[in-house]
Short mmCIF file of all heavy atoms in Angstrom, two decimals:
data_model
loop_
_atom_site.label_atom_id
_atom_site.label_comp_id
_atom_site.label_asym_id
_atom_site.label_seq_id
_atom_site.Cartn_x
_atom_site.Cartn_y
_atom_site.Cartn_z
N MET V 1 63.71 48.26 -42.27
CA MET V 1 62.38 48.85 -42.12
C MET V 1 61.44 47.83 -41.49
O MET V 1 61.42 46.67 -41.90
CB MET V 1 61.86 49.31 -43.48
CG MET V 1 62.57 50.54 -44.03
SD MET V 1 61.92 51.02 -45.62
CE MET V 1 62.57 49.75 -46.64
N HIS V 2 60.66 48.29 -40.54
CA HIS V 2 59.82 47.38 -39.77
C HIS V 2 58.80 46.68 -40.66
O HIS V 2 58.57 45.47 -40.53
CB HIS V 2 59.11 48.16 -38.67
CG HIS V 2 58.20 47.32 -37.85
ND1 HIS V 2 58.66 46.39 -36.94
CD2 HIS V 2 56.84 47.22 -37.83
CE1 HIS V 2 57.63 45.78 -36.37
NE2 HIS V 2 56.52 46.26 -36.90
N ILE V 3 58.17 47.43 -41.58
CA ILE V 3 57.12 46.83 -42.38
C ILE V 3 57.68 45.75 -43.30
O ILE V 3 57.06 44.73 -43.54
CB ILE V 3 56.37 47.92 -43.20
CG1 ILE V 3 55.20 47.29 -43.95
CG2 ILE V 3 57.31 48.62 -44.16
CD1 ILE V 3 54.18 46.64 -43.04
N LEU V 4 58.91 45.93 -43.80
CA LEU V 4 59.51 44.90 -44.63
C LEU V 4 59.90 43.68 -43.80
O LEU V 4 59.91 42.57 -44.31
CB LEU V 4 60.70 45.47 -45.39
CG LEU V 4 60.35 46.57 -46.40
CD1 LEU V 4 61.57 46.98 -47.19
CD2 LEU V 4 59.24 46.14 -47.33
N ARG V 5 60.24 43.88 -42.56
CA ARG V 5 60.47 42.73 -41.68
C ARG V 5 59.16 41.96 -41.45
O ARG V 5 59.16 40.74 -41.35
CB ARG V 5 61.05 43.20 -40.35
CG ARG V 5 62.50 43.66 -40.44
CD ARG V 5 63.17 43.62 -39.08
NE ARG V 5 62.53 44.52 -38.13
CZ ARG V 5 62.91 45.78 -37.94
NH1 ARG V 5 63.90 46.30 -38.65
NH2 ARG V 5 62.30 46.54 -37.05
N TRP V 6 58.04 42.70 -41.35
CA TRP V 6 56.73 42.06 -41.23
C TRP V 6 56.45 41.20 -42.46
O TRP V 6 55.98 40.06 -42.36
CB TRP V 6 55.66 43.15 -41.06
CG TRP V 6 54.25 42.65 -41.06
CD1 TRP V 6 53.61 41.99 -42.08
CD2 TRP V 6 53.29 42.74 -40.00
NE1 TRP V 6 52.33 41.68 -41.73
CE2 TRP V 6 52.10 42.13 -40.45
CE3 TRP V 6 53.33 43.28 -38.73
CZ2 TRP V 6 50.96 42.07 -39.68
CZ3 TRP V 6 52.17 43.21 -37.95
CH2 TRP V 6 51.01 42.61 -38.43
N ILE V 7 56.74 41.73 -43.64
CA ILE V 7 56.52 40.99 -44.87
C ILE V 7 57.37 39.73 -44.90
O ILE V 7 56.89 38.64 -45.24
CB ILE V 7 56.84 41.87 -46.09
CG1 ILE V 7 55.85 43.03 -46.18
CG2 ILE V 7 56.80 41.06 -47.38
CD1 ILE V 7 56.26 44.09 -47.17
N ARG V 8 58.63 39.87 -44.53
CA ARG V 8 59.51 38.70 -44.50
C ARG V 8 58.99 37.65 -43.52
O ARG V 8 59.06 36.45 -43.80
CB ARG V 8 60.93 39.13 -44.11
CG ARG V 8 61.66 39.90 -45.20
CD ARG V 8 63.12 40.07 -44.85
NE ARG V 8 63.84 40.76 -45.91
CZ ARG V 8 64.10 42.06 -45.92
NH1 ARG V 8 63.69 42.81 -44.91
NH2 ARG V 8 64.76 42.62 -46.91
N MET V 9 58.46 38.11 -42.38
CA MET V 9 57.93 37.17 -41.40
C MET V 9 56.76 36.39 -41.98
O MET V 9 56.67 35.16 -41.83
CB MET V 9 57.49 37.92 -40.14
CG MET V 9 56.95 37.01 -39.04
SD MET V 9 56.08 37.91 -37.75
CE MET V 9 54.60 38.44 -38.62
N LEU V 10 55.84 37.09 -42.68
CA LEU V 10 54.70 36.40 -43.29
C LEU V 10 55.16 35.41 -44.35
O LEU V 10 54.64 34.29 -44.44
CB LEU V 10 53.75 37.43 -43.91
CG LEU V 10 52.88 38.25 -42.96
CD1 LEU V 10 52.05 39.26 -43.74
CD2 LEU V 10 51.97 37.35 -42.14
N LEU V 11 56.14 35.81 -45.15
CA LEU V 11 56.64 34.93 -46.20
C LEU V 11 57.36 33.72 -45.60
O LEU V 11 57.27 32.61 -46.15
CB LEU V 11 57.58 35.70 -47.13
CG LEU V 11 56.90 36.76 -48.01
CD1 LEU V 11 57.94 37.58 -48.76
CD2 LEU V 11 55.93 36.12 -48.99
N VAL V 12 58.06 33.92 -44.49
CA VAL V 12 58.71 32.79 -43.81
C VAL V 12 57.66 31.82 -43.29
O VAL V 12 57.78 30.60 -43.46
CB VAL V 12 59.60 33.30 -42.66
CG1 VAL V 12 60.02 32.15 -41.75
CG2 VAL V 12 60.85 33.99 -43.21
N VAL V 13 56.61 32.34 -42.66
CA VAL V 13 55.54 31.49 -42.11
C VAL V 13 54.87 30.69 -43.22
O VAL V 13 54.51 29.52 -43.03
CB VAL V 13 54.52 32.36 -41.35
CG1 VAL V 13 53.28 31.54 -40.99
CG2 VAL V 13 55.14 32.94 -40.09
N CYS V 14 54.70 31.31 -44.39
CA CYS V 14 54.02 30.65 -45.50
C CYS V 14 54.94 29.77 -46.33
O CYS V 14 54.49 29.14 -47.29
CB CYS V 14 53.37 31.70 -46.40
SG CYS V 14 52.06 32.64 -45.61
N GLY V 15 56.23 29.73 -45.99
CA GLY V 15 57.15 28.85 -46.69
C GLY V 15 57.70 29.40 -47.98
O GLY V 15 58.20 28.64 -48.82
N PHE V 16 57.66 30.73 -48.15
CA PHE V 16 58.06 31.31 -49.43
C PHE V 16 59.33 32.16 -49.34
O PHE V 16 59.75 32.73 -50.35
CB PHE V 16 56.91 32.14 -50.01
CG PHE V 16 55.88 31.30 -50.69
CD1 PHE V 16 55.13 30.39 -49.96
CD2 PHE V 16 55.68 31.37 -52.05
CE1 PHE V 16 54.19 29.59 -50.57
CE2 PHE V 16 54.74 30.58 -52.68
CZ PHE V 16 53.99 29.68 -51.93
N MET V 17 59.94 32.24 -48.18
CA MET V 17 61.22 32.94 -48.05
C MET V 17 61.94 32.38 -46.83
O MET V 17 61.56 32.69 -45.70
CB MET V 17 61.04 34.45 -47.93
CG MET V 17 62.35 35.22 -47.88
SD MET V 17 62.11 37.02 -48.01
CE MET V 17 61.71 37.15 -49.76
N PRO V 18 62.97 31.56 -47.02
CA PRO V 18 63.65 30.95 -45.87
C PRO V 18 64.32 31.99 -44.99
O PRO V 18 64.82 33.00 -45.49
CB PRO V 18 64.68 30.02 -46.53
CG PRO V 18 64.88 30.56 -47.90
CD PRO V 18 63.58 31.18 -48.30
N PRO V 19 64.35 31.79 -43.69
CA PRO V 19 65.04 32.73 -42.80
C PRO V 19 66.52 32.83 -43.16
O PRO V 19 67.14 31.82 -43.50
CB PRO V 19 64.85 32.11 -41.40
CG PRO V 19 63.70 31.17 -41.55
CD PRO V 19 63.73 30.67 -42.96
N PRO V 20 67.11 34.03 -43.10
CA PRO V 20 68.54 34.19 -43.44
C PRO V 20 69.45 33.33 -42.58
O PRO V 20 70.53 32.92 -43.03
CB PRO V 20 68.79 35.68 -43.20
CG PRO V 20 67.45 36.32 -43.29
CD PRO V 20 66.48 35.31 -42.77
N SER V 21 69.04 33.06 -41.34
CA SER V 21 69.88 32.28 -40.43
C SER V 21 69.92 30.79 -40.79
O SER V 21 70.78 30.06 -40.32
CB SER V 21 69.40 32.44 -38.99
OG SER V 21 68.05 32.02 -38.85
N TRP V 22 68.97 30.36 -41.61
CA TRP V 22 68.92 28.94 -42.00
C TRP V 22 69.83 28.72 -43.21
O TRP V 22 69.36 28.59 -44.34
CB TRP V 22 67.49 28.53 -42.32
CG TRP V 22 66.63 28.38 -41.10
CD1 TRP V 22 66.80 28.99 -39.90
CD2 TRP V 22 65.48 27.55 -40.96
NE1 TRP V 22 65.82 28.61 -39.01
CE2 TRP V 22 64.99 27.73 -39.64
CE3 TRP V 22 64.80 26.69 -41.82
CZ2 TRP V 22 63.87 27.08 -39.18
CZ3 TRP V 22 63.67 26.03 -41.35
CH2 TRP V 22 63.21 26.22 -40.04
N SER V 23 71.11 28.66 -42.96
CA SER V 23 72.08 28.52 -44.05
C SER V 23 72.55 27.08 -44.26
O SER V 23 73.13 26.76 -45.30
CB SER V 23 73.30 29.41 -43.79
OG SER V 23 73.88 29.10 -42.52
N SER V 24 72.28 26.21 -43.31
CA SER V 24 72.75 24.82 -43.44
C SER V 24 71.90 24.07 -44.47
O SER V 24 70.70 24.34 -44.63
CB SER V 24 72.68 24.11 -42.09
OG SER V 24 71.33 23.94 -41.68
N PRO V 25 72.49 23.12 -45.20
CA PRO V 25 71.74 22.35 -46.21
C PRO V 25 70.54 21.62 -45.64
O PRO V 25 69.51 21.49 -46.29
CB PRO V 25 72.79 21.38 -46.75
CG PRO V 25 74.11 22.03 -46.47
CD PRO V 25 73.91 22.77 -45.17
N VAL V 26 70.67 21.10 -44.41
CA VAL V 26 69.57 20.35 -43.80
C VAL V 26 68.36 21.26 -43.57
O VAL V 26 67.22 20.90 -43.88
CB VAL V 26 70.02 19.71 -42.46
CG1 VAL V 26 68.84 19.02 -41.78
CG2 VAL V 26 71.14 18.72 -42.70
N LYS V 27 68.61 22.45 -43.02
CA LYS V 27 67.51 23.39 -42.76
C LYS V 27 66.87 23.86 -44.06
O LYS V 27 65.64 24.00 -44.15
CB LYS V 27 68.01 24.58 -41.95
CG LYS V 27 68.36 24.24 -40.50
CD LYS V 27 68.78 25.48 -39.73
CE LYS V 27 69.07 25.14 -38.27
NZ LYS V 27 69.48 26.35 -37.50
N LYS V 28 67.69 24.10 -45.08
CA LYS V 28 67.14 24.51 -46.37
C LYS V 28 66.28 23.40 -46.97
O LYS V 28 65.21 23.66 -47.55
CB LYS V 28 68.28 24.86 -47.33
CG LYS V 28 68.97 26.18 -47.02
CD LYS V 28 70.04 26.49 -48.06
CE LYS V 28 70.69 27.83 -47.78
NZ LYS V 28 71.74 28.15 -48.79
N PHE V 29 66.73 22.15 -46.83
CA PHE V 29 65.96 21.02 -47.35
C PHE V 29 64.62 20.89 -46.63
O PHE V 29 63.58 20.69 -47.27
CB PHE V 29 66.78 19.73 -47.18
CG PHE V 29 66.04 18.49 -47.61
CD1 PHE V 29 65.83 18.21 -48.95
CD2 PHE V 29 65.56 17.60 -46.65
CE1 PHE V 29 65.14 17.07 -49.34
CE2 PHE V 29 64.87 16.46 -47.03
CZ PHE V 29 64.66 16.20 -48.38
N LEU V 30 64.64 21.01 -45.31
CA LEU V 30 63.40 20.93 -44.53
C LEU V 30 62.45 22.07 -44.89
O LEU V 30 61.23 21.87 -44.98
CB LEU V 30 63.71 20.96 -43.03
CG LEU V 30 64.45 19.73 -42.47
CD1 LEU V 30 64.80 19.95 -41.00
CD2 LEU V 30 63.60 18.47 -42.64
N TYR V 31 63.01 23.26 -45.11
CA TYR V 31 62.16 24.40 -45.47
C TYR V 31 61.56 24.21 -46.87
O TYR V 31 60.40 24.58 -47.10
CB TYR V 31 62.96 25.70 -45.42
CG TYR V 31 62.09 26.93 -45.47
CD1 TYR V 31 61.46 27.41 -44.32
CD2 TYR V 31 61.88 27.60 -46.67
CE1 TYR V 31 60.64 28.53 -44.37
CE2 TYR V 31 61.07 28.72 -46.72
CZ TYR V 31 60.45 29.19 -45.57
OH TYR V 31 59.64 30.29 -45.63
N ASN V 32 62.32 23.62 -47.78
CA ASN V 32 61.78 23.34 -49.12
C ASN V 32 60.64 22.34 -49.06
O ASN V 32 59.66 22.44 -49.81
CB ASN V 32 62.89 22.83 -50.03
CG ASN V 32 63.87 23.92 -50.43
OD1 ASN V 32 63.52 25.10 -50.45
ND2 ASN V 32 65.10 23.54 -50.73
N ILE V 33 60.76 21.36 -48.16
CA ILE V 33 59.65 20.41 -47.96
C ILE V 33 58.41 21.14 -47.45
O ILE V 33 57.28 20.87 -47.89
CB ILE V 33 60.08 19.29 -46.97
CG1 ILE V 33 61.17 18.42 -47.60
CG2 ILE V 33 58.88 18.44 -46.57
CD1 ILE V 33 61.70 17.34 -46.67
N TYR V 34 58.62 22.07 -46.53
CA TYR V 34 57.50 22.86 -46.01
C TYR V 34 56.86 23.69 -47.11
O TYR V 34 55.63 23.81 -47.18
CB TYR V 34 58.00 23.75 -44.88
CG TYR V 34 56.94 24.66 -44.30
CD1 TYR V 34 55.79 24.15 -43.70
CD2 TYR V 34 57.08 26.05 -44.36
CE1 TYR V 34 54.82 24.99 -43.17
CE2 TYR V 34 56.12 26.89 -43.83
CZ TYR V 34 54.99 26.36 -43.24
OH TYR V 34 54.04 27.19 -42.73
N THR V 35 57.68 24.25 -48.00
CA THR V 35 57.16 25.03 -49.13
C THR V 35 56.28 24.16 -50.03
O THR V 35 55.19 24.57 -50.45
CB THR V 35 58.31 25.62 -49.94
OG1 THR V 35 59.12 26.45 -49.11
CG2 THR V 35 57.78 26.46 -51.10
N VAL V 36 56.75 22.95 -50.31
CA VAL V 36 55.98 22.01 -51.13
C VAL V 36 54.66 21.66 -50.45
O VAL V 36 53.60 21.58 -51.10
CB VAL V 36 56.80 20.74 -51.42
CG1 VAL V 36 55.93 19.69 -52.13
CG2 VAL V 36 58.02 21.08 -52.27
N PHE V 37 54.70 21.50 -49.12
CA PHE V 37 53.48 21.19 -48.37
C PHE V 37 52.45 22.32 -48.51
O PHE V 37 51.26 22.07 -48.74
CB PHE V 37 53.82 20.98 -46.90
CG PHE V 37 52.63 21.01 -45.98
CD1 PHE V 37 51.76 19.94 -45.91
CD2 PHE V 37 52.37 22.13 -45.19
CE1 PHE V 37 50.65 19.97 -45.07
CE2 PHE V 37 51.27 22.18 -44.35
CZ PHE V 37 50.40 21.09 -44.29
N VAL V 38 52.91 23.57 -48.39
CA VAL V 38 52.00 24.72 -48.52
C VAL V 38 51.41 24.77 -49.92
O VAL V 38 50.19 24.99 -50.10
CB VAL V 38 52.73 26.03 -48.19
CG1 VAL V 38 51.85 27.24 -48.48
CG2 VAL V 38 53.17 26.05 -46.72
N LEU V 39 52.23 24.57 -50.93
CA LEU V 39 51.74 24.59 -52.31
C LEU V 39 50.71 23.49 -52.54
O LEU V 39 49.68 23.71 -53.20
CB LEU V 39 52.91 24.42 -53.28
CG LEU V 39 53.87 25.60 -53.42
CD1 LEU V 39 55.06 25.22 -54.27
CD2 LEU V 39 53.15 26.81 -54.00
N LEU V 40 50.98 22.31 -51.99
CA LEU V 40 50.04 21.19 -52.17
C LEU V 40 48.71 21.47 -51.51
O LEU V 40 47.64 21.23 -52.10
CB LEU V 40 50.65 19.90 -51.59
CG LEU V 40 51.71 19.20 -52.44
CD1 LEU V 40 52.29 18.02 -51.69
CD2 LEU V 40 51.11 18.75 -53.77
#
């Protein structure tokens, strides 16, 4: 559904839902750092 893809996009931008394609440990680690930055 398009609207749910929109929601996922917003959550990805805000650091609260990693992209499904980012499956490697390095990308997940970098995204977690970005999440911490947004929270801070």
Side-chain angles (χ1 to χ4, degrees):
M1 289 180 287
H2 179 73
I3 185 60
L4 296 186
R5 288 201 298 268
W6 174 298
I7 294 168
R8 288 190 178 97
M9 181 194 70
L10 286 177
L11 291 173
V12 167
V13 170
C14 295
F16 280 65
M17 183 171 286
S21 59
W22 286 25
S23 56
S24 68
V26 175
K27 289 183 177 180
K28 287 183 178 180
F29 176 74
L30 293 175
Y31 193 81
N32 288 334
I33 293 177
Y34 177 61
T35 302
V36 173
F37 165 75
V38 173
L39 289 173
L40 282 175

